[in-house]
Amino acid sequence: MEYVPALARWLHFMAGVMWIGLLYYFNFVQADAMKAAQADGTAAGITKHVAPRALLYFRWTAVVTWFAGATLLGINFFNAFFFWDAAFYAIGVGAWLGTIMLFNVWVLIWPNQKKILGIVQATDEQKNKARRVAFLASRTNTMLSIPMLFFMGAGASAHLAIFFG
């Protein structure tokens, strides 16, 4: 049974690094690259090959990160998530920020990206609205990622001190 927390910690860390890394890639690299690629007519390679694959990993690393984190909390999940125990306040704030970010990925970003990329049929007007919603949700996640990482780290380090002094 001691392997479950070790595996959950490894998965939480690795998937989290990939999730936030892809979030930053989309916001700081791909967004500007798409503008340049559309200007010179080379955007098809990004929209056909890169973006769908990156979004696949983005969506599922978000899920793996969240579930691995919930597994790590174990019996303390409710203490952290519902702020029932002051010892779990920091990790609880981080968990809520991560939950909001997961919601944004699956409910706001992905459905709108499917329209933008042509995976789902949409009019030009619907695509323009989808671009705005996906952009705002993605930028929101970028801003939330900074305090989320802080609170997750603060909560984790506080609990590691309990075990390791």
Side-chain angles (χ1 to χ4, degrees):
M1 209 53 157
E2 63 197 38
Y3 293 106
V4 173
L7 179 61
R9 182 166 280 110
W10 186 86
L11 280 172
H12 187 64
F13 181 77
M14 294 305 295
V17 166
M18 193 169 188
W19 179 22
I20 300 303
L22 284 165
L23 174 67
Y24 287 10
Y25 161 77
F26 287 128
N27 282 277
F28 297 113
V29 177
Q30 185 172 298
D32 288 336
M34 279 300 295
K35 289 176 190 170
Q38 285 172 338
D40 70 10
T42 60
I46 296 171
T47 59
K48 184 177 180 181
H49 301 290
V50 177
R53 184 170 296 147
L55 284 163
L56 173 76
Y57 283 98
F58 181 64
R59 293 189 317 271
W60 289 105
T61 55
V63 169
V64 170
T65 302
W66 195 93
F67 277 108
T71 301
L72 276 172
L73 287 169
I75 62 171
N76 292 308
F77 176 82
F78 289 100
N79 289 332
F81 212 72
F82 297 107
F83 305 107
W84 289 342
D85 183 342
F88 293 90
Y89 284 176
I91 200 84
V93 171
W96 268 108
L97 292 171
T99 301
I100 293 165
M101 292 170 63
L102 176 69
F103 175 88
N104 285 345
V105 168
W106 280 93
V107 176
L108 298 174
I109 297 170
W110 175 234
N112 285 293
Q113 283 294 340
K114 288 192 291 188
K115 292 175 188 173
I116 295 164
L117 296 172
I119 296 168
V120 169
Q121 291 292 332
T123 65
D124 287 342
E125 183 180 327
Q126 290 170 324
K127 286 181 183 180
N128 286 334
K129 182 180 178 188
R131 280 184 190 90
R132 185 73 180 150
V133 171
F135 169 81
L136 291 173
S138 189
R139 290 296 162 96
T140 298
N141 275 8
T142 301
M143 293 302 110
L144 291 178
S145 71
I146 296 163
M148 186 264 313
L149 289 169
F150 171 80
F151 282 108
M152 296 296 256
S157 64
H159 285 83
L160 286 175
I162 292 169
F163 296 111
F164 301 110

